[in-house]
Amino acid sequence: MKNIFKCHPGIGKEVEGIVLSANDDFSARYDLDRIKGVFSRPQHKLSGQSYIDKILVLNGSKGGVASAWMLYEMYARNVAPKAILFNKANTILAQGAALANLTMCDRFEDGDITSLLKNGDRVIVNPTLGTVTII
């Protein structure tokens, strides 16, 4: 089993944490209760689960400027994930991650990252090297 996955160089610092993964998209505006720190949209595959201090692994990002500044709001309230990994992130959410000091990577060489990483995996995300390592 492969334990190092290569991606496009990302944003943020190296972090270690537990994976919370779903083959679903992500909107900080519509999918989350940013006060309680849980996925709140009933149709989301992670509905009811806490994202605080997790390494979120999701298909794609959706949303615009509001979603981007909401990442900073989450960071300021200490209800943010440690990192977000996407198959494909949009540029506005990447800018929001940079503002929020949130680690973010996307475009994995080995395929769909939501099927490569499982809930409960402990990983190290190194955005500078563009690697995610299962430990």
Side-chain angles (χ1 to χ4, degrees), residues 67-97:
S67 280
W69 68 257
M70 286 174 188
L71 293 178
Y72 180 79
E73 174 197 32
M74 292 159 48
Y75 168 76
R77 290 184 179 174
N78 294 315
V79 291
K82 284 188 175 181
I84 307 178
L85 307 177
F86 291 112
N87 284 317
K88 181 80 169 122
N90 69 34
T91 55
I92 298 214
L93 209 63
Q95 291 171 343

Side-chain angles (χ1 to χ4, degrees), residues 8-11 26 60-69 71 86-100 102 104-107:
H8 189 268
I11 296 165
F26 173 82
S61 60
K62 46 186 188 173
V65 174
S67 280
W69 68 257
L71 293 178
F86 291 112
N87 284 317
K88 181 80 169 122
N90 69 34
T91 55
I92 298 214
L93 209 63
Q95 291 171 343
L99 175 67
L102 178 64
M104 182 184 288
C105 295
D106 74 343
R107 294 177 273 171

Side-chain angles (χ1 to χ4, degrees), residues 12 21 25 29 36 45 67 76 84 91 95 97-99 115 128 134:
S21 178
D25 291 330
R29 183 174 185 184
K36 294 179 182 175
K45 292 178 181 175
S67 280
I84 307 178
T91 55
Q95 291 171 343
L99 175 67
S115 65
T128 303
I134 299 174

